Amino acid sequence: KHNKNFRDNSIPKECTEGVQRAIGKPSGSMAITRKIKKNNYAIITIAISKIGGIITMPSELERFNERMQAFFAPLWPGEEKPLVLGEGCGDRPPVMLIGEAPGEQEAMSGRPFVGKAGKNLDGFLTVLQLNREDIYISNVVKIRPTKVSEKGRVSNRTPNREELALFTPYLLEEILLVQPKMLVTLGNTALHALLGAKSTIGACHGQVLTAHVQTDKRAGDFPLFALYHPASIIYNQKLKDVYQADLERLHSVLAAQ
Ligand code: URA
């Protein structure tokens, strides 16, 4: 429909075969083209899911990301505030890791948990015996919250109320699209976004809790495992040990699932 130059011979052979298999019609691109000209999207969609990779259409997650970009792009005019989107396995991953917000490295690269945070993530993945691409990685707030010192030095800060109110509904939608088998929150910000501010990391860490995630269209309950944020344990050996013990517990929980 969108490609005016669409011609019979522009359809790859694998594609017509895939469509043929999907709709059970005789082979030959004419039959397929006629179907397509009738704008029969259901058939096209079935065919695409069968032959995956030859034609790519935006997934629900991609459309969600586009919607989020369109919403946030005009919000901070004149400020460099690129969105750092979630990434990884977006279809029922064993873990959806949720951090607070991107830092400098993340904002520069456009990817969550790179740089120093990426090193922490490597340790996390090693204990869980997972690869980065096996899980889905995101943040509550998807811009880098910053403050500027009197000397003009820019540094990270905790997201403020306005940022949390703007981004949390998108996080809930993202979770419902990704459908992770386990939510893993890092620190209080992510925990509060999902369980409310009364649930503190001190009381909740290392336990499997339940997050009820609801938007105006969908809802679902997800197991949630709360961890301290690695950034908060750097200078505290006791918390480091607690974090490590929690991580090992999470490994056992995932292995038993
Ligand atoms: N980087 C992220 O993407 N999120 C965090 O919470 C910290 C660092």
Side-chain angles (χ1 to χ4, degrees):
K1 180 175 183 251
H2 299 293
N3 184 353
K4 291 204 177 71
N5 301 320
F6 202 89
R7 294 194 313 270
D8 292 1
N9 61 7
S10 68
I11 306 172
K13 185 166 156 283
E14 300 90 322
C15 177
T16 59
E17 284 170 2
V19 175
Q20 180 208 339
R21 250 179 281 127
I23 65 176
K25 290 280 171 193
S27 73
S29 56
M30 282 305 290
I32 307 312
T33 309
R34 245 178 271 126
K35 280 282 171 197
I36 290 172
K37 279 184 181 158
K38 280 187 186 165
N39 287 348
N40 197 330
Y41 295 116
I43 287 173
I44 294 171
T45 308
I46 294 165
I48 287 165
S49 69
K50 295 254 173 181
I51 60 178
I54 293 168
I55 299 174
T56 52
M57 284 180 100
S59 66
E60 256 195 285
L61 203 52
E62 282 166 336
R63 286 201 300 270
F64 161 79
N65 283 335
E66 280 165 17
R67 222 173 347 104
M68 200 166 34
Q69 296 272 22
F71 176 83
F72 285 101
L75 282 200
W76 293 282
E79 287 182 69
E80 190 63 20
K81 294 232 182 235
L83 285 193
V84 177
L85 302 173
E87 68 171 32
C89 172
D91 185 17
R92 296 181 178 273
V95 166
M96 174 169 173
L97 184 68
I98 307 172
E100 178 176 282
E104 186 181 17
Q105 294 295 317
E106 287 80 11
M108 277 186 336
S109 67
R111 298 185 60 202
F113 288 91
V114 293
K116 223 187 221 172
K119 289 233 169 68
N120 289 325
L121 178 64
D122 289 343
F124 171 92
L125 292 168
T126 305
V127 176
L128 299 187
Q129 296 179 318
L130 290 167
N131 295 313
R132 186 177 170 115
E133 58 276 14
D134 296 334
I135 69 168
Y136 187 82
I137 305 168
S138 198
N139 282 299
V140 181
V141 167
K142 291 176 174 63
I143 49 152
R144 178 191 178 204
T146 53
K147 57 182 184 224
V148 185
S149 74
E150 279 178 8
K151 288 185 180 162
R153 197 172 158 268
V154 180
S155 59
N156 298 339
R157 63 166 166 76
T158 306
N160 62 30
R161 271 190 198 192
E162 187 199 10
E163 289 156 346
L164 291 168
L166 285 169
F167 280 101
T168 301
Y170 283 97
L171 174 69
L172 303 183
E173 206 179 331
E174 193 177 17
I175 293 169
L176 288 165
L177 285 173
V178 171
Q179 293 283 316
K181 298 194 182 109
M182 177 72 75
L183 292 165
V184 178
T185 54
L186 294 181
N188 265 324
T189 300
L191 182 64
H192 291 170
L194 297 177
L195 294 190
K198 282 193 185 144
S199 305
T200 63
I201 188 67
C204 295
H205 73 91
Q207 298 174 47
V208 183
L209 305 164
T210 301
H212 180 69
V213 178
Q214 182 155 11
T215 64
D216 52 357
K217 293 195 190 83
R218 295 167 79 173
D221 285 336
F222 297 84
L224 180 154
F225 195 94
L227 287 173
Y228 279 97
H229 197 293
S232 71
I233 63 173
I234 290 173
Y235 303 107
N236 186 335
Q237 186 58 46
K238 266 194 198 152
L239 270 193
K240 251 189 209 173
D241 295 344
V242 171
Y243 175 84
Q244 202 59 31
D246 287 348
L247 205 48
E248 276 154 30
R249 168 117 211 283
L250 174 60
H251 180 222
S252 319
V253 169
L254 294 177
Q257 259 187 345

